[in-house]
């Protein structure tokens, strides 16, 4: 009688039931340098993740050889930061490639469950004002609550004949809409949009738009590039600046908006599974979206822990935009009035 593949334990096949290699790897037995070089993060950060996710990753299992939360987190971090299930990494922890894949799935879902805890706009007035002040200090642009842009992450072709994920370059991707503050902390991240959608369409359909139109637009605005339409809560550059005030506005806008480009470079430098250098994410669009969001959560946690990599060099193929967009002209007269008032008040 054939044994169903689903019940086979790959570690059991590789090592036998009596082998205890799953317990061989101990965090305290390796140096900080080894942890950073192999898993991308120092000991204190990893210990924080163990405390944060440990209960979730210790869910009851029928398997007699459950992998510890610590090992699961290390396996996932190794994948996020290297982009591959390296044999030497699995050997070091005593787990198979198949088990490493399960670890990545478990940790990814645990991080996604906590996304709203770490990725959100501030709500109290004092923090919102600090957000505006920090942006103003960059280049003199007032009232900014965040900078917004899209970036594409390459994924494998879905099993179904679905052209919605094919972007303008003919590659399968997810178009991810993100907002960050002046330090690069993500305030919003929607990672599930098909790559065929242009940035303006993604924003039009995004939860971010509903959020600003119903809750946040009275407090200030976002800054977006010319791939987006001007809105009362979204300031875009002037297509053809003519006056000194308009040039000053565009210069301040560009210098401030550059923060999101640096943030994208930081994320792809730290999480090489997203930068394309190891190939596309070999998962369904839904699972790939979750991996991207998990990396976004880790990005914010790393900034909370002072792990800033602004100076990291650009790498890979996680590009800011896949589309050669046309200049978008707004037909919103109220939005035009708001921008004109901003020009007169602060840049004339």
């Amino acid at each position: 009688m054939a044994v169903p593949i689903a019940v086979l334990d790959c570690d059991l096949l590789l090592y036998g039931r009596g082998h205890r290699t799953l317990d061989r790897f101990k965090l305290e037995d390796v140096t900080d340098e080894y942890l950073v070089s192999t898993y991308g993060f120092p000991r204190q950060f990893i210990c924080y993740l163990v405390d944060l996710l440990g209960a979730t990753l210790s869910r009851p299992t029928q398997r007699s050889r459950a992998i510890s939360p610590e090992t699961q987190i290390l396996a996932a971090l190794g994948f996020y930061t290297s982009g591959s299930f390296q044999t030497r990494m699995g050997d070091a922890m005593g787990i198979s490639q198949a088990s490493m894949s399960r670890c990545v799935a478990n940790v990814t879902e645990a991080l996604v469950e906590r996304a709203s805890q770490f990725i959100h706009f501030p709500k109290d007035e004092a923090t919102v004002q600090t957000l505006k002040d920090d942006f103003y200090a960059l280049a003199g642009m007032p009232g900014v609550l965040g900078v917004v842009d899209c970036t594409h992450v390459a994924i494998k072709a879905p099993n179904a004949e679905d052209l919605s994920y094919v972007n303008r370059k003919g590659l399968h991707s997810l178009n991810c809409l993100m907002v960050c503050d002046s330090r690069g902390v993500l305030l919003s991240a929607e990672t599930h949009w098909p790559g065929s959608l242009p940035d303006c369409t993604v924003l039009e359909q995004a939860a971010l738009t509903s959020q600003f139109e119903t809750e946040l637009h009275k407090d200030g605005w976002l800054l977006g590039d010319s791939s987006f339409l001007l809105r009362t809560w979204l300031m875009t550059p002037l297509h053809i600046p003519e006056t000194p005030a308009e040039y000053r506005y565009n210069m301040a806008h560009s210098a401030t908006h550059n923060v999101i480009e640096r943030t994208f470079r930081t994320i792809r430098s730290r999480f090489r599974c997203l930068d394309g250098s190891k190939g596309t994410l070999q998962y369904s669009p839904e699972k790939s979206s979750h991996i991207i969001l998990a990396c976004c959560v880790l990005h914010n946690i790393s900034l909370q822990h002072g792990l800033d990599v602004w100076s990291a060099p650009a790498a890979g193929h996680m590009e800011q935009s896949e589309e050669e967009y046309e200049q978008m002209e707004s037909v919103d007269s109220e939005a035009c009035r708001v921008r004109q008032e901003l020009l007169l008040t602060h840049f004339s």
Side-chain angles (χ1 to χ4, degrees), residues 11 90 126 197 213-214:
D11 292 311
L197 293 181
E213 290 185 345
T214 59

Side-chain angles (χ1 to χ4, degrees), residues 31-142:
T31 64
D32 289 334
E33 291 77 11
Y34 174 82
L35 291 174
V36 172
S37 65
T38 306
Y39 305 105
F41 293 95
R43 187 184 312 275
Q44 182 180 8
F45 180 89
I46 296 170
C47 290
Y48 173 82
L49 291 182
V50 172
D51 291 339
L52 177 70
L53 307 178
T56 301
L57 298 176
S58 298
R59 289 167 177 160
T61 176
Q62 295 179 345
R63 299 166 63 109
S64 60
R65 293 164 49 78
I67 302 175
S68 70
E70 181 180 278
T71 300
Q72 291 184 62
I73 288 169
L74 288 172
L77 291 178
F79 169 73
Y80 297 147
T81 58
S82 72
S84 65
F85 297 115
Q86 298 180 19
T87 302
R88 68 177 182 85
M89 193 180 302
D91 288 346
M93 294 184 293
I95 63 175
S96 67
Q97 179 173 316
S99 289
M100 286 194 63
S101 181
R102 289 195 297 272
C103 291
V104 170
N106 293 342
V107 174
T108 295
E109 293 310 307
L111 288 168
V112 167
E113 288 174 5
R114 290 161 177 78
S116 61
Q117 176 182 345
F118 294 98
I119 303 175
H120 56 80
F121 283 91
K123 297 190 180 300
D124 63 282
E125 292 185 7
T127 307
V128 169
Q129 187 58 50
T130 299
L131 188 64
K132 295 178 183 178
D133 293 343
D134 289 344
F135 272 118
Y136 187 79
L138 291 179
M141 181 69 75

